[in-house]
């Protein structure tokens, strides 16, 4: 029972779980190994409306609240957590456009993003600008009719096929801002993109280095805003992405728990199911309790985006750090419950454990969340 959710939200959540189980779970391994085409899969999600859950109806979306995006990400996280990365970046671009975009930017991009005809991504990191993302050295030069962008971005999710990237670069787009935040069409020929970077976890998303060489951008590309500086908007987009990643982490934790529970009920040692041993029972009790705590935290954060904006950033940092920790710790304990079987490459918990570790690093490390909290809580 979700004490937070209305009957309508709970009913929609059930449809998300059914969709994830029926349409994603059977191809999760193929998405992870790229045997199934992620681009086509995401476009299909767009056609079904899942990429435009919180896009206003007038722009072709479902017009639902951000909480539904979190519920969808949790359902997805139960079967293929790597998709959480693609969703996190995509929803982040949408929320930035909703809050900061001009009418022209919104009407041009939101319908494309809602339908999955363009996938959103964020390109902040550079070789020397990771946690210290404000240290970017990509350059923006102002011209009479727009801007020229140069620079190399690392760890760009789905950089090789995303349609629209939110790019953080050095000063140049706006006199009032120290940094520039730009909406960049990723299909431009002026870009050079590396192949997918192989890694430990969250492998279904593509991870590319994207190089911009004298890329011309129109005036409309500038999303820098008089209200907030570019780095504040960039941080807002990361906060949105973090809540989605944390939702996927909650789903991951419960998926690992379900596997461990099933194993504990059926695996016998010393003449009895191992679930009868207190040492195993307590692991499962911890997974359930901390998983629920993470879920409440994430729901609160998602709700606060629209209902308590002043605490959104704090909630986002807290829930990302906590949910990723819970997912990593308890998927590890779930693997322990499985014994040797859990270490095997075809075992779901082996995959969940790898994915969970990556969640503590991507979209800002756990240390970065605590640094943000030190600021926000004025410690
Ligand atoms: C799967 C994946 C997806 C990603 N997707 C994107 C994306 O879509 N867009 C994008 O722009 N970036 C993306 N990133 C990059 C990600 O945001 C960075 O990896 C992350 O911010 C950390 O930067 P870094 O790897 O350079 O580590 P570093 O910043 O070099 O940090 C190394 C270690 O030092 C710690 N550290 C750094 N500074 C401090 C400090 N002041 N106090 C204490 N500890 C500190 C860090 O927590 C970390 O443990 C992605 C990364 C991964 C792995």
């Amino acid at each position: 029972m979700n004490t937070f959710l209305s009957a309508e939200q709970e009913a929609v959540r059930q449809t998300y779980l059914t969709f994830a189980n029926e349409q994603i779970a059977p191809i999760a391994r193929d998405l992870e190994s790229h045997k199934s085409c992620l681009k086509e899969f995401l476009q299909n999600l767009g056609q079904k409306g899942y990429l435009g859950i919180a896009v206003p109806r007038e722009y072709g979306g479902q017009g639902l609240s951000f909480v539904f995006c979190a519920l969808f990400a949790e359902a997805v996280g139960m079967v293929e957590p790597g998709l959480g990365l693609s969703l996190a970046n995509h929803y982040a671009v949408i929320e930035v456009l909703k809050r900061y975009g001009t009418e022209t930017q919104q009407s041009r991009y939101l319908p494309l993003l809602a339908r999955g005809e363009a996938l959103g991504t964020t390109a902040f990191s550079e070789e020397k600008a990771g946690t210290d993302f404000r240290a970017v050295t990509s350059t923006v030069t102002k011209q009479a009719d727009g801007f020229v962008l140069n620079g190399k971005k690392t760890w760009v999710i789905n950089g090789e096929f995303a349609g629209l990237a939110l790019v953080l670069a050095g000063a140049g787009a706006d006199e009032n801002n120290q940094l520039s935040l730009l909406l960049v069409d990723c299909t431009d020929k002026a870009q050079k993109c590396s192949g997918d970077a192989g890694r430990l976890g969250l492998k279904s998303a593509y991870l590319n280095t994207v190089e911009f060489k004298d890329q011309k951008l129109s005036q409309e590309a500038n999303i820098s805003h008089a209200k907030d500086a570019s780095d504040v908007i960039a941080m807002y987009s990361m906060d949105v992405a973090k809540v989605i990643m944390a939702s996927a982490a909650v789903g991951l934790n419960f998926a690992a728990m379900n596997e461990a529970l099933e194993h504990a009920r059926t695996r016998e040692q010393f003449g009895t199911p191992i679930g009868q041993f207190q040492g195993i029972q307590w692991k499962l009790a911890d997974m359930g309790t901390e998983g629920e705590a993470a879920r409440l935290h994430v729901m609160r954060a998602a709700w606060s985006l629209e209902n308590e904006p002043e605490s959104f950033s704090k909630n986002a940092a807290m829930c990302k750090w906590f949910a990723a920790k819970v997912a990593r710790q308890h998927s590890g304990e779930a693997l322990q419950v499985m014994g040797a079987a859990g270490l095997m490459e075809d075992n779901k918990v082996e995959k969940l454990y790898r994915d969970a570790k990556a969640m503590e690093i991507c979209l800002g490390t756990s240390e970065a969340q605590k640094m943000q909290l030190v600021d926000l809580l004025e410690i």
Side-chain angles (χ1 to χ4, degrees), residues 59 97 101-111 183 218 220:
Y59 297 117
L97 277 165
T102 61
E103 172 51 35
T104 312
Q105 288 166 338
Q106 290 179 350
S107 55
R108 177 163 176 204
Y109 292 120
L110 285 176
L183 288 163
S218 73
E220 264 309 312

Side-chain angles (χ1 to χ4, degrees), residues 274-295:
I274 59 169
Q276 294 301 312
F277 303 131
Q278 197 175 54
I280 299 288
Q281 290 167 344
W282 285 14
K283 288 185 199 302
L284 291 160
D286 286 349
M287 278 174 218
T289 306
E290 295 200 356
E292 285 296 345
R295 176 182 271 156

